[in-house]
Every structure is written in structure tokens, then in C-alpha cells.
Amino acid sequence: MPQRPLTLMAVHAHPDDEAISTGGILARYADEGVRTVLVTCTNGELGDGPGGVKPGEPGHDEGVIVPLRRRELEASCEVLGVSHLELLGYHDSGMEGWPQNDAPGAFWRASVDEAGHRLADLMRRYEPQVVVTYDEKGFYGHPDHIQANRVTRAAVAESGVPAKLYYTAVARSRMRGFRQTLLEHGIGEPSEIEDMPEWGTPDDLITTTIDCSSVAARKYKSLAAHASQSENIVFLQMGEEVFATIMSSESFVRVTDSTGAPVPETDLFAGLR
């Protein structure tokens, strides 16, 4: 029997999410010959339109935004070397508290069982040993991120395919360093930066940290590929050099594991090769 190729699957909510929290691992593991699969759950209809037009403003046309964001997502995948892009095609639910959260067809309202079954089918097709998605809080409470977590957990339970499931994480100590970097480089209003919520994962819960320094420039370029959303991507305001200094690694919390690999880890595929 042929050996299953090493495969990493990342499950994200919107176009551009793949670059922000997993661009480093997607590029690094692609360089190592690992098959990388990106699943994007929504079309990103409620992102900015051309010229930065916001949802609810005149000229915000989802018929224009969806194909634009699809092209940007494909460009990002090309930069990162993603082997396979899969789109679930749900409607963007918008930020927490937006009326679109409860609109018919919104991902937030989708049946977890139905969406989980669709994702389980993809897991059975690609047989990823490693799956990565958000934590139960969606990192910062975005409804579509929370739903992506629920759907991924349902798919893992149904398929039984992945050996390891990880949640994306940023150590709180790194979040404090990120704030300091913003202040030092005059990015954003100081009062707004000081008032940023205490996001991040307690440092002692981080199980896995991956060195992504060799691909930091590609991660920046993958973010830049999402040009229509540039106003919302604060990392792009740093420039590539500063970005590389604070985004040289990506951290995760290992949630399930059948390999017995000890933690802390420096490789998502520890115990698998």
C-alpha cells in the first residue's frame, strides 16, 4: 500500500485569514514537500469593496466583492504554495453583533452537522495528518471563526482522520510586544493601542511554536495579495522588514493527538515522521 503523503489542512473563515495566522506554516511546510490544503468557509462578502467601501455604504456590491476576494485568495495561495484550495461557499456573517449574523445563509446560522459533514468528506479525501483551525472563542470572538471551530471539531469527530488537531494561538507575551512595536513605529493612535483588549493565549498553554523566519517575506506578500482589505490589515502598515521581526514564528495549542509526541513541539508533524 502506498504511504499517505504528509498533509496539512488549515480551516479558515474568510479570504485573508489563511495569511494572518497560518501563512508561515503553509509556506514552510509546502517548502518541505508537505501537501497543504486550505479550506475557506465563507466568500467574504462583508469585507471592504473596491476603494475601501464598507458594508452598508453606497457602492458595496457583493457581486463585485466575491469574485475579487476569490482572486485575491488564489493569489495568496500561490505565494504560500498551497497545494489545494477548497471553498465551502457560505455567506460571510459579519462581525459580532451585526444584523447579518442571523441572515439566511450566513455561516453563523449554518447547521454544524451539515457543514461538518462536508468538511469531513474533505478530510476523508485528503487524509490530513494535521488539521489547524481557531480556538472555541475564534481568537477574538468573530462569529465565523467560532463556527469554523465548531465545524472542524464536528468533522474531526465524524471522520476520525487527523492524528493531530491544533488551534492557532498568539502568546500574551507576544501580544504585548506587538503593542509596543505599534507604538514605537507610530502605527495607529496610542490611546487606541493602549486600550486594545487582552487578547492572546496564556504562554503556558502554548504547546507548539514553529520557526517561520525563512518564509516571513512570503507571509507578508500573501497578506498584501488581499489588497482590497488592506485598510483592515494593520500588519501591512509595518512594512515587510518590521513585520518579519515580529512574525518570525507561529504558535499553536495542540488539542488532540494520537502520536504521543512530547510537548513543547517545534514541528506540527512531530511523531509522524
Side-chain angles (χ1 to χ4, degrees):
M1 293 289 290
Q3 187 175 9
R4 288 166 54 191
L6 289 180
T7 302
L8 166 66
M9 175 180 282
V11 182
H12 283 290
H14 314 97
D16 76 21
D17 290 334
E18 81 291 338
I20 293 170
S21 59
T22 59
I25 59 168
L26 288 169
R28 171 181 161 160
Y29 284 110
D31 285 353
E32 294 181 10
V34 173
R35 181 172 61 171
T36 51
V37 181
L38 170 63
V39 180
T40 303
C41 297
T42 80
N43 302 317
E45 289 93 341
L46 298 180
D48 289 358
V53 62
K54 309 292 183 184
E57 294 181 349
H60 189 274
D61 184 348
E62 293 183 4
V64 172
I65 293 170
V66 170
L68 170 61
R69 299 203 70 183
R70 169 69 180 270
R71 291 192 297 272
E72 292 176 339
L73 177 59
E74 291 171 345
S76 171
C77 287
E78 184 174 356
V79 169
L80 298 174
V82 170
S83 308
H84 300 275
L85 171 62
E86 297 286 349
L87 307 173
L88 295 189
Y90 290 98
H91 195 285
D92 191 340
S93 308
M95 301 295 286
E96 181 182 12
W98 287 15
Q100 293 94 333
N101 293 174
D102 296 317
F107 186 46
W108 177 243
R109 289 193 56 178
S111 162
V112 171
D113 288 343
E114 183 270 341
H117 180 69
R118 293 180 61 196
L119 182 56
D121 281 345
L122 292 175
M123 290 182 181
R124 285 186 283 260
R125 181 192 307 174
Y126 290 108
E127 298 186 309
Q129 293 90 351
V130 174
V131 172
V132 177
T133 193
Y134 318 97
D135 65 16
E136 299 94 332
K137 298 179 181 179
F139 184 63
Y140 64 96
H142 194 298
D144 286 333
H145 291 205
I146 294 171
Q147 187 74 331
N149 168 274
R150 294 171 177 170
V151 168
T152 301
R153 286 189 287 118
V156 168
E158 178 184 328
S159 70
V161 168
K164 306 172 88 172
L165 172 66
Y166 291 90
Y167 293 161
T168 59
V170 179
R172 284 186 179 165
S173 60
R174 289 194 65 197
M175 287 298 297
R176 289 190 286 271
F178 172 65
R179 292 181 185 183
Q180 186 60 36
T181 298
L182 293 179
L183 289 170
E184 290 174 357
H185 291 85
I187 300 170
E189 295 296 327
S191 60
E192 293 177 355
I193 295 170
E194 293 294 344
D195 291 340
M196 286 173 64
E198 186 65 22
W199 286 334
T201 301
D203 289 44
D204 60 350
L205 297 182
I206 302 292
T207 63
T208 312
T209 301
I210 310 301
D211 180 0
C212 299
S213 56
S214 64
V215 295
R218 283 167 58 196
K219 180 170 178 172
Y220 185 85
K221 288 181 173 62
S222 74
L223 279 170
H226 296 280
S228 68
Q229 309 306 305
S230 59
E231 185 178 319
N232 304 318
I233 303 176
V234 66
F235 301 104
L236 292 175
Q237 299 176 37
M238 301 175 178
E240 186 175 316
E241 184 175 345
V242 175
F243 176 86
T245 65
I246 66 167
M247 301 297 284
S248 60
S249 65
E250 292 177 352
S251 298
F252 304 88
V253 175
R254 194 173 79 185
V255 184
T256 63
D257 168 66
S258 64
T259 70
V263 293
E265 302 170 309
T266 57
D267 180 10
L268 296 175
F269 289 87
L272 292 163
R273 57 180 176 179

PDB file of all heavy atoms in Angstrom, residues 5 12-13 50 52 60 63 66 77 112-113 124 137 151-152 175 177 211 213 271:
ATOM      1  N   PRO A   5       0.701  10.661   1.848  1.00  0.00           N
ATOM      2  CA  PRO A   5       1.606  11.826   1.876  1.00  0.00           C
ATOM      3  C   PRO A   5       1.338  12.667   3.109  1.00  0.00           C
ATOM      4  O   PRO A   5       0.191  12.762   3.575  1.00  0.00           O
ATOM      5  CB  PRO A   5       1.238  12.583   0.600  1.00  0.00           C
ATOM      6  CG  PRO A   5      -0.180  12.189   0.321  1.00  0.00           C
ATOM      7  CD  PRO A   5      -0.303  10.758   0.778  1.00  0.00           C
ATOM      8  N   HIS A  12     -10.203  27.862   7.637  1.00  0.00           N
ATOM      9  CA  HIS A  12     -10.358  29.279   7.944  1.00  0.00           C
ATOM     10  C   HIS A  12     -11.738  29.788   7.553  1.00  0.00           C
ATOM     11  O   HIS A  12     -12.450  29.163   6.767  1.00  0.00           O
ATOM     12  CB  HIS A  12      -9.281  30.086   7.234  1.00  0.00           C
ATOM     13  CG  HIS A  12      -7.946  29.988   7.900  1.00  0.00           C
ATOM     14  ND1 HIS A  12      -7.680  30.559   9.117  1.00  0.00           N
ATOM     15  CD2 HIS A  12      -6.791  29.363   7.529  1.00  0.00           C
ATOM     16  CE1 HIS A  12      -6.435  30.305   9.465  1.00  0.00           C
ATOM     17  NE2 HIS A  12      -5.871  29.578   8.521  1.00  0.00           N
ATOM     18  N   ALA A  13     -12.065  30.951   8.102  1.00  0.00           N
ATOM     19  CA  ALA A  13     -13.400  31.508   7.896  1.00  0.00           C
ATOM     20  C   ALA A  13     -13.517  32.338   6.631  1.00  0.00           C
ATOM     21  O   ALA A  13     -14.503  32.226   5.902  1.00  0.00           O
ATOM     22  CB  ALA A  13     -13.796  32.354   9.107  1.00  0.00           C
ATOM     23  N   PRO A  50     -14.086  47.582  -3.435  1.00  0.00           N
ATOM     24  CA  PRO A  50     -13.090  48.437  -4.087  1.00  0.00           C
ATOM     25  C   PRO A  50     -13.169  49.864  -3.569  1.00  0.00           C
ATOM     26  O   PRO A  50     -14.252  50.418  -3.394  1.00  0.00           O
ATOM     27  CB  PRO A  50     -13.484  48.346  -5.570  1.00  0.00           C
ATOM     28  CG  PRO A  50     -14.149  47.016  -5.691  1.00  0.00           C
ATOM     29  CD  PRO A  50     -14.910  46.831  -4.404  1.00  0.00           C
ATOM     30  N   GLY A  52     -12.296  50.710  -0.629  1.00  0.00           N
ATOM     31  CA  GLY A  52     -12.495  50.688   0.816  1.00  0.00           C
ATOM     32  C   GLY A  52     -13.929  50.872   1.254  1.00  0.00           C
ATOM     33  O   GLY A  52     -14.181  51.110   2.449  1.00  0.00           O
ATOM     34  N   HIS A  60     -21.334  49.270  -2.033  1.00  0.00           N
ATOM     35  CA  HIS A  60     -20.848  47.977  -1.520  1.00  0.00           C
ATOM     36  C   HIS A  60     -21.653  46.876  -2.202  1.00  0.00           C
ATOM     37  O   HIS A  60     -22.792  46.608  -1.866  1.00  0.00           O
ATOM     38  CB  HIS A  60     -21.016  47.893  -0.004  1.00  0.00           C
ATOM     39  CG  HIS A  60     -20.336  46.698   0.601  1.00  0.00           C
ATOM     40  ND1 HIS A  60     -20.943  45.471   0.689  1.00  0.00           N
ATOM     41  CD2 HIS A  60     -19.085  46.555   1.136  1.00  0.00           C
ATOM     42  CE1 HIS A  60     -20.108  44.613   1.264  1.00  0.00           C
ATOM     43  NE2 HIS A  60     -18.975  45.245   1.544  1.00  0.00           N
ATOM     44  N   GLY A  63     -21.743  41.270  -5.381  1.00  0.00           N
ATOM     45  CA  GLY A  63     -21.484  40.650  -6.673  1.00  0.00           C
ATOM     46  C   GLY A  63     -20.122  41.011  -7.232  1.00  0.00           C
ATOM     47  O   GLY A  63     -19.563  40.275  -8.052  1.00  0.00           O
ATOM     48  N   VAL A  66     -17.222  39.337  -4.092  1.00  0.00           N
ATOM     49  CA  VAL A  66     -16.941  37.897  -4.014  1.00  0.00           C
ATOM     50  C   VAL A  66     -15.895  37.448  -5.039  1.00  0.00           C
ATOM     51  O   VAL A  66     -14.901  36.816  -4.674  1.00  0.00           O
ATOM     52  CB  VAL A  66     -18.234  37.077  -4.137  1.00  0.00           C
ATOM     53  CG1 VAL A  66     -17.932  35.589  -4.310  1.00  0.00           C
ATOM     54  CG2 VAL A  66     -19.103  37.285  -2.902  1.00  0.00           C
ATOM     55  N   CYS A  77      -2.710  32.042  -2.091  1.00  0.00           N
ATOM     56  CA  CYS A  77      -2.369  30.619  -2.099  1.00  0.00           C
ATOM     57  C   CYS A  77      -1.153  30.347  -2.986  1.00  0.00           C
ATOM     58  O   CYS A  77      -0.300  29.509  -2.647  1.00  0.00           O
ATOM     59  CB  CYS A  77      -3.558  29.790  -2.578  1.00  0.00           C
ATOM     60  SG  CYS A  77      -4.900  29.659  -1.364  1.00  0.00           S
ATOM     61  N   VAL A 112     -24.196  22.921  12.018  1.00  0.00           N
ATOM     62  CA  VAL A 112     -22.855  22.414  12.288  1.00  0.00           C
ATOM     63  C   VAL A 112     -22.725  20.981  11.770  1.00  0.00           C
ATOM     64  O   VAL A 112     -21.683  20.599  11.220  1.00  0.00           O
ATOM     65  CB  VAL A 112     -22.538  22.490  13.792  1.00  0.00           C
ATOM     66  CG1 VAL A 112     -21.234  21.760  14.119  1.00  0.00           C
ATOM     67  CG2 VAL A 112     -22.452  23.945  14.241  1.00  0.00           C
ATOM     68  N   ASP A 113     -23.783  20.209  11.913  1.00  0.00           N
ATOM     69  CA  ASP A 113     -23.737  18.820  11.425  1.00  0.00           C
ATOM     70  C   ASP A 113     -23.564  18.777   9.912  1.00  0.00           C
ATOM     71  O   ASP A 113     -22.755  18.005   9.389  1.00  0.00           O
ATOM     72  CB  ASP A 113     -25.005  18.070  11.815  1.00  0.00           C
ATOM     73  CG  ASP A 113     -25.068  17.758  13.301  1.00  0.00           C
ATOM     74  OD1 ASP A 113     -24.008  17.822  13.964  1.00  0.00           O
ATOM     75  OD2 ASP A 113     -26.166  17.467  13.806  1.00  0.00           O
ATOM     76  N   ARG A 124     -11.665  13.083   4.548  1.00  0.00           N
ATOM     77  CA  ARG A 124     -11.532  11.712   4.042  1.00  0.00           C
ATOM     78  C   ARG A 124     -10.842  11.706   2.676  1.00  0.00           C
ATOM     79  O   ARG A 124     -10.098  10.776   2.350  1.00  0.00           O
ATOM     80  CB  ARG A 124     -12.900  11.037   3.971  1.00  0.00           C
ATOM     81  CG  ARG A 124     -13.448  10.604   5.336  1.00  0.00           C
ATOM     82  CD  ARG A 124     -14.734   9.824   5.209  1.00  0.00           C
ATOM     83  NE  ARG A 124     -15.869  10.689   4.952  1.00  0.00           N
ATOM     84  CZ  ARG A 124     -16.734  11.085   5.890  1.00  0.00           C
ATOM     85  NH1 ARG A 124     -16.581  10.696   7.156  1.00  0.00           N
ATOM     86  NH2 ARG A 124     -17.754  11.860   5.581  1.00  0.00           N
ATOM     87  N   LYS A 137     -13.149  30.312  21.015  1.00  0.00           N
ATOM     88  CA  LYS A 137     -13.536  31.727  21.041  1.00  0.00           C
ATOM     89  C   LYS A 137     -13.270  32.422  19.712  1.00  0.00           C
ATOM     90  O   LYS A 137     -13.506  33.626  19.594  1.00  0.00           O
ATOM     91  CB  LYS A 137     -12.791  32.451  22.165  1.00  0.00           C
ATOM     92  CG  LYS A 137     -13.123  31.916  23.556  1.00  0.00           C
ATOM     93  CD  LYS A 137     -12.330  32.649  24.619  1.00  0.00           C
ATOM     94  CE  LYS A 137     -12.630  32.108  26.008  1.00  0.00           C
ATOM     95  NZ  LYS A 137     -11.835  32.796  27.060  1.00  0.00           N
ATOM     96  N   VAL A 151     -17.390  23.537  13.409  1.00  0.00           N
ATOM     97  CA  VAL A 151     -17.499  22.678  12.227  1.00  0.00           C
ATOM     98  C   VAL A 151     -16.279  21.762  12.115  1.00  0.00           C
ATOM     99  O   VAL A 151     -16.406  20.582  11.781  1.00  0.00           O
ATOM    100  CB  VAL A 151     -17.675  23.556  10.968  1.00  0.00           C
ATOM    101  CG1 VAL A 151     -17.497  22.743   9.697  1.00  0.00           C
ATOM    102  CG2 VAL A 151     -19.045  24.235  10.988  1.00  0.00           C
ATOM    103  N   THR A 152     -15.105  22.307  12.410  1.00  0.00           N
ATOM    104  CA  THR A 152     -13.892  21.486  12.337  1.00  0.00           C
ATOM    105  C   THR A 152     -13.932  20.363  13.361  1.00  0.00           C
ATOM    106  O   THR A 152     -13.594  19.211  13.054  1.00  0.00           O
ATOM    107  CB  THR A 152     -12.646  22.352  12.546  1.00  0.00           C
ATOM    108  OG1 THR A 152     -12.606  23.371  11.535  1.00  0.00           O
ATOM    109  CG2 THR A 152     -11.379  21.518  12.448  1.00  0.00           C
ATOM    110  N   MET A 175       1.713  39.341  22.293  1.00  0.00           N
ATOM    111  CA  MET A 175       0.735  40.395  22.041  1.00  0.00           C
ATOM    112  C   MET A 175       1.210  41.708  22.667  1.00  0.00           C
ATOM    113  O   MET A 175       1.062  42.776  22.067  1.00  0.00           O
ATOM    114  CB  MET A 175      -0.628  40.011  22.612  1.00  0.00           C
ATOM    115  CG  MET A 175      -1.356  38.935  21.833  1.00  0.00           C
ATOM    116  SD  MET A 175      -1.753  39.428  20.131  1.00  0.00           S
ATOM    117  CE  MET A 175      -2.845  40.814  20.410  1.00  0.00           C
ATOM    118  N   GLY A 177       4.306  42.542  23.130  1.00  0.00           N
ATOM    119  CA  GLY A 177       5.384  43.002  22.264  1.00  0.00           C
ATOM    120  C   GLY A 177       4.866  43.624  20.978  1.00  0.00           C
ATOM    121  O   GLY A 177       5.438  44.600  20.463  1.00  0.00           O
ATOM    122  N   ASP A 211       9.137  27.797  13.750  1.00  0.00           N
ATOM    123  CA  ASP A 211      10.016  28.828  13.196  1.00  0.00           C
ATOM    124  C   ASP A 211       9.629  29.080  11.738  1.00  0.00           C
ATOM    125  O   ASP A 211       9.742  28.197  10.895  1.00  0.00           O
ATOM    126  CB  ASP A 211      11.470  28.359  13.287  1.00  0.00           C
ATOM    127  CG  ASP A 211      12.456  29.382  12.740  1.00  0.00           C
ATOM    128  OD1 ASP A 211      12.022  30.463  12.293  1.00  0.00           O
ATOM    129  OD2 ASP A 211      13.663  29.090  12.765  1.00  0.00           O
ATOM    130  N   SER A 213      10.736  32.021  10.144  1.00  0.00           N
ATOM    131  CA  SER A 213      11.554  33.163   9.729  1.00  0.00           C
ATOM    132  C   SER A 213      11.956  33.084   8.266  1.00  0.00           C
ATOM    133  O   SER A 213      12.062  34.117   7.592  1.00  0.00           O
ATOM    134  CB  SER A 213      12.799  33.264  10.619  1.00  0.00           C
ATOM    135  OG  SER A 213      13.538  32.057  10.605  1.00  0.00           O
ATOM    136  N   GLY A 271       6.226  13.207  15.660  1.00  0.00           N
ATOM    137  CA  GLY A 271       5.579  11.929  15.905  1.00  0.00           C
ATOM    138  C   GLY A 271       5.014  11.278  14.649  1.00  0.00           C
ATOM    139  O   GLY A 271       4.522  10.150  14.710  1.00  0.00           O
TER     140      GLY A 271
END
